[in-house]
PDB file of all heavy atoms in Angstrom:
ATOM      1  N   SER A   1      33.552 174.964 146.830  1.00 57.00           N
ATOM      2  CA  SER A   1      34.785 174.371 146.317  1.00 57.00           C
ATOM      3  C   SER A   1      34.551 172.964 145.792  1.00 57.00           C
ATOM      4  O   SER A   1      35.352 172.438 145.021  1.00 57.00           O
ATOM      5  CB  SER A   1      35.852 174.339 147.420  1.00 57.00           C
ATOM      6  OG  SER A   1      35.376 173.586 148.539  1.00 57.00           O
ATOM      7  N   ASP A   2      33.441 172.324 146.235  1.00 70.00           N
ATOM      8  CA  ASP A   2      33.160 170.961 145.800  1.00 70.00           C
ATOM      9  C   ASP A   2      32.509 170.913 144.421  1.00 70.00           C
ATOM     10  O   ASP A   2      32.706 169.975 143.662  1.00 70.00           O
ATOM     11  CB  ASP A   2      32.252 170.261 146.808  1.00 70.00           C
ATOM     12  CG  ASP A   2      32.959 170.009 148.126  1.00 70.00           C
ATOM     13  OD1 ASP A   2      34.193 169.848 148.103  1.00 70.00           O
ATOM     14  OD2 ASP A   2      32.292 170.001 149.182  1.00 70.00           O
ATOM     15  N   THR A   3      31.703 171.890 144.111  1.00 77.00           N
ATOM     16  CA  THR A   3      31.014 171.901 142.828  1.00 77.00           C
ATOM     17  C   THR A   3      30.721 173.337 142.417  1.00 77.00           C
ATOM     18  O   THR A   3      30.241 174.139 143.224  1.00 77.00           O
ATOM     19  CB  THR A   3      29.705 171.088 142.903  1.00 77.00           C
ATOM     20  OG1 THR A   3      29.005 171.220 141.676  1.00 77.00           O
ATOM     21  CG2 THR A   3      28.827 171.536 144.052  1.00 77.00           C
ATOM     22  N   ALA A   4      31.014 173.655 141.184  1.00 83.00           N
ATOM     23  CA  ALA A   4      30.844 175.014 140.695  1.00 83.00           C
ATOM     24  C   ALA A   4      30.621 174.981 139.191  1.00 83.00           C
ATOM     25  O   ALA A   4      30.951 173.985 138.533  1.00 83.00           O
ATOM     26  CB  ALA A   4      32.083 175.858 141.031  1.00 83.00           C
ATOM     27  N   PRO A   5      30.037 176.024 138.619  1.00 89.00           N
ATOM     28  CA  PRO A   5      29.894 176.081 137.169  1.00 89.00           C
ATOM     29  C   PRO A   5      31.258 176.040 136.485  1.00 89.00           C
ATOM     30  O   PRO A   5      32.265 176.472 137.050  1.00 89.00           O
ATOM     31  CB  PRO A   5      29.191 177.422 136.933  1.00 89.00           C
ATOM     32  CG  PRO A   5      28.556 177.759 138.228  1.00 89.00           C
ATOM     33  CD  PRO A   5      29.442 177.198 139.286  1.00 89.00           C
ATOM     34  N   GLY A   6      31.283 175.527 135.282  1.00 92.00           N
ATOM     35  CA  GLY A   6      32.519 175.459 134.515  1.00 92.00           C
ATOM     36  C   GLY A   6      32.426 176.285 133.255  1.00 92.00           C
ATOM     37  O   GLY A   6      31.339 176.512 132.709  1.00 92.00           O
ATOM     38  N   SER A   7      33.561 176.752 132.773  1.00 94.00           N
ATOM     39  CA  SER A   7      33.603 177.507 131.525  1.00 94.00           C
ATOM     40  C   SER A   7      34.862 177.142 130.756  1.00 94.00           C
ATOM     41  O   SER A   7      35.853 176.680 131.340  1.00 94.00           O
ATOM     42  CB  SER A   7      33.564 179.018 131.787  1.00 94.00           C
ATOM     43  OG  SER A   7      34.701 179.436 132.513  1.00 94.00           O
ATOM     44  N   ALA A   8      34.809 177.344 129.464  1.00 96.00           N
ATOM     45  CA  ALA A   8      35.943 177.022 128.605  1.00 96.00           C
ATOM     46  C   ALA A   8      35.916 177.924 127.381  1.00 96.00           C
ATOM     47  O   ALA A   8      34.867 178.477 127.017  1.00 96.00           O
ATOM     48  CB  ALA A   8      35.903 175.552 128.185  1.00 96.00           C
ATOM     49  N   PHE A   9      37.062 178.060 126.750  1.00 97.00           N
ATOM     50  CA  PHE A   9      37.183 178.787 125.495  1.00 97.00           C
ATOM     51  C   PHE A   9      37.669 177.820 124.420  1.00 97.00           C
ATOM     52  O   PHE A   9      38.479 176.927 124.681  1.00 97.00           O
ATOM     53  CB  PHE A   9      38.150 179.964 125.629  1.00 97.00           C
ATOM     54  CG  PHE A   9      37.619 181.093 126.459  1.00 97.00           C
ATOM     55  CD1 PHE A   9      37.867 181.158 127.821  1.00 97.00           C
ATOM     56  CD2 PHE A   9      36.852 182.092 125.873  1.00 97.00           C
ATOM     57  CE1 PHE A   9      37.377 182.192 128.598  1.00 97.00           C
ATOM     58  CE2 PHE A   9      36.349 183.132 126.636  1.00 97.00           C
ATOM     59  CZ  PHE A   9      36.612 183.179 127.991  1.00 97.00           C
ATOM     60  N   ALA A  10      37.154 178.010 123.218  1.00 98.00           N
ATOM     61  CA  ALA A  10      37.506 177.104 122.127  1.00 98.00           C
ATOM     62  C   ALA A  10      37.523 177.857 120.807  1.00 98.00           C
ATOM     63  O   ALA A  10      37.035 178.991 120.705  1.00 98.00           O
ATOM     64  CB  ALA A  10      36.521 175.937 122.063  1.00 98.00           C
ATOM     65  N   ALA A  11      38.072 177.207 119.791  1.00 98.00           N
ATOM     66  CA  ALA A  11      38.146 177.789 118.452  1.00 98.00           C
ATOM     67  C   ALA A  11      37.786 176.730 117.416  1.00 98.00           C
ATOM     68  O   ALA A  11      37.957 175.527 117.651  1.00 98.00           O
ATOM     69  CB  ALA A  11      39.543 178.348 118.177  1.00 98.00           C
ATOM     70  N   ASP A  12      37.262 177.185 116.282  1.00 98.00           N
ATOM     71  CA  ASP A  12      36.972 176.319 115.139  1.00 98.00           C
ATOM     72  C   ASP A  12      37.834 176.743 113.958  1.00 98.00           C
ATOM     73  O   ASP A  12      38.043 177.945 113.738  1.00 98.00           O
ATOM     74  CB  ASP A  12      35.503 176.409 114.717  1.00 98.00           C
ATOM     75  CG  ASP A  12      34.542 175.990 115.809  1.00 98.00           C
ATOM     76  OD1 ASP A  12      35.009 175.514 116.861  1.00 98.00           O
ATOM     77  OD2 ASP A  12      33.324 176.154 115.600  1.00 98.00           O
ATOM     78  N   LEU A  13      38.289 175.784 113.178  1.00 98.00           N
ATOM     79  CA  LEU A  13      39.000 176.042 111.932  1.00 98.00           C
ATOM     80  C   LEU A  13      38.298 175.263 110.832  1.00 98.00           C
ATOM     81  O   LEU A  13      38.041 174.060 110.982  1.00 98.00           O
ATOM     82  CB  LEU A  13      40.470 175.605 112.036  1.00 98.00           C
ATOM     83  CG  LEU A  13      41.325 176.338 113.075  1.00 98.00           C
ATOM     84  CD1 LEU A  13      42.719 175.716 113.140  1.00 98.00           C
ATOM     85  CD2 LEU A  13      41.417 177.822 112.750  1.00 98.00           C
ATOM     86  N   SER A  14      37.984 175.933 109.729  1.00 98.00           N
ATOM     87  CA  SER A  14      37.196 175.280 108.689  1.00 98.00           C
ATOM     88  C   SER A  14      37.628 175.737 107.308  1.00 98.00           C
ATOM     89  O   SER A  14      38.245 176.798 107.142  1.00 98.00           O
ATOM     90  CB  SER A  14      35.701 175.577 108.892  1.00 98.00           C
ATOM     91  OG  SER A  14      35.461 176.974 108.861  1.00 98.00           O
ATOM     92  N   CYS A  15      37.289 174.924 106.309  1.00 98.00           N
ATOM     93  CA  CYS A  15      37.518 175.282 104.912  1.00 98.00           C
ATOM     94  C   CYS A  15      36.394 174.696 104.064  1.00 98.00           C
ATOM     95  O   CYS A  15      35.732 173.728 104.461  1.00 98.00           O
ATOM     96  CB  CYS A  15      38.891 174.805 104.430  1.00 98.00           C
ATOM     97  SG  CYS A  15      39.130 173.014 104.486  1.00 98.00           S
ATOM     98  N   TYR A  16      36.205 175.304 102.902  1.00 98.00           N
ATOM     99  CA  TYR A  16      35.098 174.896 102.022  1.00 98.00           C
ATOM    100  C   TYR A  16      35.516 175.095 100.573  1.00 98.00           C
ATOM    101  O   TYR A  16      36.123 176.116 100.218  1.00 98.00           O
ATOM    102  CB  TYR A  16      33.853 175.721 102.324  1.00 98.00           C
ATOM    103  CG  TYR A  16      32.661 175.419 101.450  1.00 98.00           C
ATOM    104  CD1 TYR A  16      32.048 174.170 101.475  1.00 98.00           C
ATOM    105  CD2 TYR A  16      32.131 176.388 100.602  1.00 98.00           C
ATOM    106  CE1 TYR A  16      30.946 173.897 100.675  1.00 98.00           C
ATOM    107  CE2 TYR A  16      31.021 176.131  99.810  1.00 98.00           C
ATOM    108  CZ  TYR A  16      30.431 174.878  99.850  1.00 98.00           C
ATOM    109  OH  TYR A  16      29.342 174.615  99.062  1.00 98.00           O
ATOM    110  N   TYR A  17      35.197 174.103  99.755  1.00 98.00           N
ATOM    111  CA  TYR A  17      35.509 174.157  98.327  1.00 98.00           C
ATOM    112  C   TYR A  17      34.228 173.924  97.542  1.00 98.00           C
ATOM    113  O   TYR A  17      33.473 172.990  97.826  1.00 98.00           O
ATOM    114  CB  TYR A  17      36.544 173.094  97.967  1.00 98.00           C
ATOM    115  CG  TYR A  17      36.833 172.978  96.489  1.00 98.00           C
ATOM    116  CD1 TYR A  17      37.712 173.859  95.850  1.00 98.00           C
ATOM    117  CD2 TYR A  17      36.219 171.994  95.723  1.00 98.00           C
ATOM    118  CE1 TYR A  17      37.979 173.757  94.496  1.00 98.00           C
ATOM    119  CE2 TYR A  17      36.471 171.881  94.361  1.00 98.00           C
ATOM    120  CZ  TYR A  17      37.354 172.762  93.755  1.00 98.00           C
ATOM    121  OH  TYR A  17      37.600 172.666  92.397  1.00 98.00           O
ATOM    122  N   GLN A  18      33.991 174.765  96.559  1.00 97.00           N
ATOM    123  CA  GLN A  18      32.791 174.652  95.722  1.00 97.00           C
ATOM    124  C   GLN A  18      33.171 174.857  94.263  1.00 97.00           C
ATOM    125  O   GLN A  18      33.870 175.820  93.923  1.00 97.00           O
ATOM    126  CB  GLN A  18      31.752 175.690  96.141  1.00 97.00           C
ATOM    127  CG  GLN A  18      30.420 175.588  95.393  1.00 97.00           C
ATOM    128  CD  GLN A  18      29.467 176.711  95.765  1.00 97.00           C
ATOM    129  OE1 GLN A  18      29.387 177.725  95.078  1.00 97.00           O
ATOM    130  NE2 GLN A  18      28.743 176.536  96.867  1.00 97.00           N
ATOM    131  N   ASN A  19      32.725 173.961  93.402  1.00 97.00           N
ATOM    132  CA  ASN A  19      33.031 174.076  91.980  1.00 97.00           C
ATOM    133  C   ASN A  19      31.938 173.382  91.179  1.00 97.00           C
ATOM    134  O   ASN A  19      31.098 172.669  91.732  1.00 97.00           O
ATOM    135  CB  ASN A  19      34.392 173.433  91.676  1.00 97.00           C
ATOM    136  CG  ASN A  19      35.042 174.037  90.442  1.00 97.00           C
ATOM    137  OD1 ASN A  19      34.395 174.778  89.688  1.00 97.00           O
ATOM    138  ND2 ASN A  19      36.317 173.735  90.230  1.00 97.00           N
ATOM    139  N   TYR A  20      31.964 173.610  89.887  1.00 96.00           N
ATOM    140  CA  TYR A  20      30.971 173.017  88.996  1.00 96.00           C
ATOM    141  C   TYR A  20      31.647 172.028  88.067  1.00 96.00           C
ATOM    142  O   TYR A  20      32.776 172.242  87.612  1.00 96.00           O
ATOM    143  CB  TYR A  20      30.258 174.106  88.188  1.00 96.00           C
ATOM    144  CG  TYR A  20      29.383 174.996  89.042  1.00 96.00           C
ATOM    145  CD1 TYR A  20      29.908 176.137  89.640  1.00 96.00           C
ATOM    146  CD2 TYR A  20      28.050 174.674  89.275  1.00 96.00           C
ATOM    147  CE1 TYR A  20      29.117 176.948  90.441  1.00 96.00           C
ATOM    148  CE2 TYR A  20      27.249 175.476  90.071  1.00 96.00           C
ATOM    149  CZ  TYR A  20      27.788 176.608  90.652  1.00 96.00           C
ATOM    150  OH  TYR A  20      27.009 177.414  91.452  1.00 96.00           O
ATOM    151  N   LEU A  21      30.967 170.924  87.803  1.00 95.00           N
ATOM    152  CA  LEU A  21      31.478 169.919  86.894  1.00 95.00           C
ATOM    153  C   LEU A  21      30.326 169.384  86.059  1.00 95.00           C
ATOM    154  O   LEU A  21      29.164 169.377  86.504  1.00 95.00           O
ATOM    155  CB  LEU A  21      32.171 168.792  87.641  1.00 95.00           C
ATOM    156  CG  LEU A  21      31.335 167.878  88.546  1.00 95.00           C
ATOM    157  CD1 LEU A  21      32.075 166.568  88.780  1.00 95.00           C
ATOM    158  CD2 LEU A  21      31.043 168.535  89.878  1.00 95.00           C
ATOM    159  N   ASN A  22      30.644 168.951  84.875  1.00 95.00           N
ATOM    160  CA  ASN A  22      29.644 168.440  83.956  1.00 95.00           C
ATOM    161  C   ASN A  22      29.521 166.929  84.086  1.00 95.00           C
ATOM    162  O   ASN A  22      30.517 166.203  84.010  1.00 95.00           O
ATOM    163  CB  ASN A  22      30.003 168.795  82.502  1.00 95.00           C
ATOM    164  CG  ASN A  22      29.916 170.291  82.251  1.00 95.00           C
ATOM    165  OD1 ASN A  22      29.016 170.967  82.738  1.00 95.00           O
ATOM    166  ND2 ASN A  22      30.869 170.816  81.483  1.00 95.00           N
ATOM    167  N   ILE A  23      28.307 166.478  84.346  1.00 92.00           N
ATOM    168  CA  ILE A  23      27.986 165.056  84.379  1.00 92.00           C
ATOM    169  C   ILE A  23      26.938 164.831  83.296  1.00 92.00           C
ATOM    170  O   ILE A  23      25.776 165.210  83.449  1.00 92.00           O
ATOM    171  CB  ILE A  23      27.474 164.611  85.751  1.00 92.00           C
ATOM    172  CG1 ILE A  23      28.525 164.873  86.831  1.00 92.00           C
ATOM    173  CG2 ILE A  23      27.097 163.136  85.723  1.00 92.00           C
ATOM    174  CD1 ILE A  23      28.090 164.488  88.229  1.00 92.00           C
ATOM    175  N   GLY A  24      27.370 164.229  82.205  1.00 89.00           N
ATOM    176  CA  GLY A  24      26.488 164.147  81.048  1.00 89.00           C
ATOM    177  C   GLY A  24      26.257 165.544  80.497  1.00 89.00           C
ATOM    178  O   GLY A  24      27.202 166.294  80.222  1.00 89.00           O
ATOM    179  N   GLN A  25      25.010 165.928  80.367  1.00 89.00           N
ATOM    180  CA  GLN A  25      24.673 167.259  79.882  1.00 89.00           C
ATOM    181  C   GLN A  25      24.254 168.199  81.010  1.00 89.00           C
ATOM    182  O   GLN A  25      23.763 169.288  80.756  1.00 89.00           O
ATOM    183  CB  GLN A  25      23.540 167.157  78.847  1.00 89.00           C
ATOM    184  CG  GLN A  25      23.920 166.372  77.599  1.00 89.00           C
ATOM    185  CD  GLN A  25      22.782 166.310  76.594  1.00 89.00           C
ATOM    186  OE1 GLN A  25      21.632 166.594  76.918  1.00 89.00           O
ATOM    187  NE2 GLN A  25      23.113 165.937  75.357  1.00 89.00           N
ATOM    188  N   ARG A  26      24.504 167.802  82.228  1.00 93.00           N
ATOM    189  CA  ARG A  26      24.091 168.614  83.379  1.00 93.00           C
ATOM    190  C   ARG A  26      25.309 169.231  84.058  1.00 93.00           C
ATOM    191  O   ARG A  26      26.330 168.573  84.271  1.00 93.00           O
ATOM    192  CB  ARG A  26      23.309 167.761  84.380  1.00 93.00           C
ATOM    193  CG  ARG A  26      22.115 167.052  83.774  1.00 93.00           C
ATOM    194  CD  ARG A  26      21.372 166.254  84.823  1.00 93.00           C
ATOM    195  NE  ARG A  26      20.350 165.406  84.230  1.00 93.00           N
ATOM    196  CZ  ARG A  26      19.140 165.814  83.877  1.00 93.00           C
ATOM    197  NH1 ARG A  26      18.808 167.090  84.067  1.00 93.00           N
ATOM    198  NH2 ARG A  26      18.274 164.992  83.338  1.00 93.00           N
ATOM    199  N   GLU A  27      25.180 170.505  84.403  1.00 95.00           N
ATOM    200  CA  GLU A  27      26.230 171.184  85.150  1.00 95.00           C
ATOM    201  C   GLU A  27      25.914 171.048  86.640  1.00 95.00           C
ATOM    202  O   GLU A  27      25.005 171.686  87.158  1.00 95.00           O
ATOM    203  CB  GLU A  27      26.322 172.659  84.755  1.00 95.00           C
ATOM    204  CG  GLU A  27      27.499 173.365  85.398  1.00 95.00           C
ATOM    205  CD  GLU A  27      27.605 174.823  84.987  1.00 95.00           C
ATOM    206  OE1 GLU A  27      26.554 175.517  85.001  1.00 95.00           O
ATOM    207  OE2 GLU A  27      28.716 175.277  84.660  1.00 95.00           O
ATOM    208  N   CYS A  28      26.676 170.220  87.314  1.00 97.00           N
ATOM    209  CA  CYS A  28      26.423 169.902  88.720  1.00 97.00           C
ATOM    210  C   CYS A  28      27.365 170.693  89.626  1.00 97.00           C
ATOM    211  O   CYS A  28      28.449 171.106  89.220  1.00 97.00           O
ATOM    212  CB  CYS A  28      26.603 168.406  88.960  1.00 97.00           C
ATOM    213  SG  CYS A  28      25.581 167.362  87.895  1.00 97.00           S
ATOM    214  N   GLN A  29      26.935 170.881  90.855  1.00 97.00           N
ATOM    215  CA  GLN A  29      27.737 171.622  91.833  1.00 97.00           C
ATOM    216  C   GLN A  29      28.326 170.663  92.852  1.00 97.00           C
ATOM    217  O   GLN A  29      27.607 169.935  93.531  1.00 97.00           O
ATOM    218  CB  GLN A  29      26.878 172.673  92.536  1.00 97.00           C
ATOM    219  CG  GLN A  29      27.622 173.447  93.624  1.00 97.00           C
ATOM    220  CD  GLN A  29      26.724 174.435  94.332  1.00 97.00           C
ATOM    221  OE1 GLN A  29      26.254 175.405  93.742  1.00 97.00           O
ATOM    222  NE2 GLN A  29      26.476 174.180  95.610  1.00 97.00           N
ATOM    223  N   LEU A  30      29.654 170.686  92.966  1.00 98.00           N
ATOM    224  CA  LEU A  30      30.365 169.844  93.922  1.00 98.00           C
ATOM    225  C   LEU A  30      30.800 170.679  95.122  1.00 98.00           C
ATOM    226  O   LEU A  30      31.311 171.788  94.973  1.00 98.00           O
ATOM    227  CB  LEU A  30      31.593 169.218  93.265  1.00 98.00           C
ATOM    228  CG  LEU A  30      32.552 168.447  94.184  1.00 98.00           C
ATOM    229  CD1 LEU A  30      31.881 167.164  94.692  1.00 98.00           C
ATOM    230  CD2 LEU A  30      33.853 168.126  93.463  1.00 98.00           C
ATOM    231  N   GLY A  31      30.584 170.158  96.312  1.00 98.00           N
ATOM    232  CA  GLY A  31      31.023 170.832  97.525  1.00 98.00           C
ATOM    233  C   GLY A  31      31.842 169.904  98.407  1.00 98.00           C
ATOM    234  O   GLY A  31      31.494 168.732  98.561  1.00 98.00           O
ATOM    235  N   LEU A  32      32.939 170.421  98.954  1.00 98.00           N
ATOM    236  CA  LEU A  32      33.769 169.683  99.903  1.00 98.00           C
ATOM    237  C   LEU A  32      34.009 170.572 101.115  1.00 98.00           C
ATOM    238  O   LEU A  32      34.288 171.769 100.963  1.00 98.00           O
ATOM    239  CB  LEU A  32      35.114 169.284  99.277  1.00 98.00           C
ATOM    240  CG  LEU A  32      35.073 168.409  98.021  1.00 98.00           C
ATOM    241  CD1 LEU A  32      36.472 168.260  97.439  1.00 98.00           C
ATOM    242  CD2 LEU A  32      34.482 167.037  98.343  1.00 98.00           C
ATOM    243  N   GLY A  33      33.902 170.014 102.303  1.00 98.00           N
ATOM    244  CA  GLY A  33      34.062 170.832 103.501  1.00 98.00           C
ATOM    245  C   GLY A  33      34.757 170.103 104.630  1.00 98.00           C
ATOM    246  O   GLY A  33      34.660 168.877 104.759  1.00 98.00           O
ATOM    247  N   LEU A  34      35.475 170.876 105.453  1.00 98.00           N
ATOM    248  CA  LEU A  34      36.149 170.348 106.627  1.00 98.00           C
ATOM    249  C   LEU A  34      35.991 171.347 107.761  1.00 98.00           C
ATOM    250  O   LEU A  34      36.218 172.545 107.577  1.00 98.00           O
ATOM    251  CB  LEU A  34      37.637 170.115 106.352  1.00 98.00           C
ATOM    252  CG  LEU A  34      38.517 169.765 107.557  1.00 98.00           C
ATOM    253  CD1 LEU A  34      38.141 168.392 108.120  1.00 98.00           C
ATOM    254  CD2 LEU A  34      39.999 169.799 107.187  1.00 98.00           C
ATOM    255  N   ASN A  35      35.591 170.861 108.927  1.00 98.00           N
ATOM    256  CA  ASN A  35      35.454 171.723 110.097  1.00 98.00           C
ATOM    257  C   ASN A  35      35.991 171.000 111.327  1.00 98.00           C
ATOM    258  O   ASN A  35      35.515 169.918 111.681  1.00 98.00           O
ATOM    259  CB  ASN A  35      33.983 172.102 110.319  1.00 98.00           C
ATOM    260  CG  ASN A  35      33.817 173.099 111.459  1.00 98.00           C
ATOM    261  OD1 ASN A  35      34.735 173.859 111.768  1.00 98.00           O
ATOM    262  ND2 ASN A  35      32.657 173.101 112.093  1.00 98.00           N
TER     263      ASN A  35
END
């Protein structure tokens, strides 16, 4: 009762955005993310 293993449950929520944009003559890939 004084000391014992512990356990927990958890969840993650995430989103991700990916698109292409032109910088000069180069087509670059932009990424944005949240977790």
Side-chain angles (χ1 to χ4, degrees):
S1 59
D2 292 331
T3 175
S7 63
F9 289 92
D12 299 354
L13 297 175
S14 59
C15 61
Y16 178 64
Y17 174 81
Q18 184 185 96
N19 206 348
Y20 292 89
L21 66 160
N22 293 320
I23 300 179
Q25 297 181 344
R26 305 181 189 278
E27 186 179 46
C28 304
Q29 177 182 294
L30 172 69
L32 301 173
L34 171 67
N35 185 26

